[in-house]
Amino acid sequence: MATIFSKIINKEIPSDMVYQDDQVTAFRDIQPQAPVHILIVPNKEIPTVNDIKEEDKLLIGHMVLVAQKIAAEQGVAENGYRLLINCNKDGGQEVFHLHMHLFGGRPLGPMLMRQK
Ligand code: AMP
């Protein structure tokens, strides 16, 4: 199912794109939650982590390497950053086109809110 991310990948709607090749596209999140907040998205329409197939192994590895390169370009590699993929309802996924968040540029705190 095509989402708004396919339109961004195909440049049918504008985005603040920072990287694109034949496999992935990366652009700034429209509602940034950190000074650096970039989404790394496979050009192929994969809805969720649950839909990743064996044949996508190289693509997923490529997404991580692209994230690494962007983190260096954005100047957050040394201090550190967070890569995050949400999956389905409990994971907080809103857009059903697989994407990896890259957050950086400030201390990001604990990974999850602690339960009392
Ligand atoms: P998730 O909750 O993991 O599905 O994250 C979806 C993310 O996509 C959110 O952080 C949104 O702010 C972001 N988003 C939604 N629409 C756009 C858009 N048109 N351009 C950039 N980011 C977007």
Side-chain angles (χ1 to χ4, degrees):
M1 279 287 267
T3 70
I4 193 161
F5 287 178
S6 292
K7 292 195 167 78
I8 289 175
I9 291 162
N10 297 327
K11 301 188 173 134
E12 291 164 21
I13 60 167
S15 73
D16 191 350
M17 200 176 281
V18 298
Y19 180 89
Q20 186 167 50
D21 64 24
D22 61 338
Q23 296 178 75
V24 307
T25 301
F27 49 91
R28 290 187 196 281
D29 197 290
I30 206 166
Q31 287 189 296
Q33 294 178 52
V36 175
H37 184 177
I38 290 167
L39 303 175
I40 296 115
V41 185
N43 296 342
K44 177 180 174 183
E45 284 169 7
I46 302 171
T48 79
V49 170
N50 291 339
D51 303 297
I52 295 171
K53 303 246 171 11
E54 190 71 21
E55 70 207 34
D56 300 319
K57 272 198 297 199
L58 286 176
L59 172 61
I60 304 304
H62 184 60
M63 285 171 67
V64 176
L65 287 174
V66 167
Q68 178 199 71
K69 175 180 155 67
I70 293 171
E73 284 171 1
Q74 297 291 320
V76 300
E78 193 173 324
N79 275 356
Y81 54 95
R82 181 171 294 156
L83 300 178
L84 177 81
I85 303 178
N86 294 321
C87 182
N88 277 343
K89 184 164 59 75
D90 282 2
Q93 185 173 5
E94 291 172 355
V95 178
F96 287 83
H97 184 144
L98 184 69
H99 52 281
M100 179 184 288
H101 296 255
L102 189 168
F103 301 103
R106 66 168 169 81
L108 294 164
M111 193 164 69
L112 296 173
M113 270 188 288
R114 297 190 193 286
Q115 305 279 341
K116 284 200 179 134

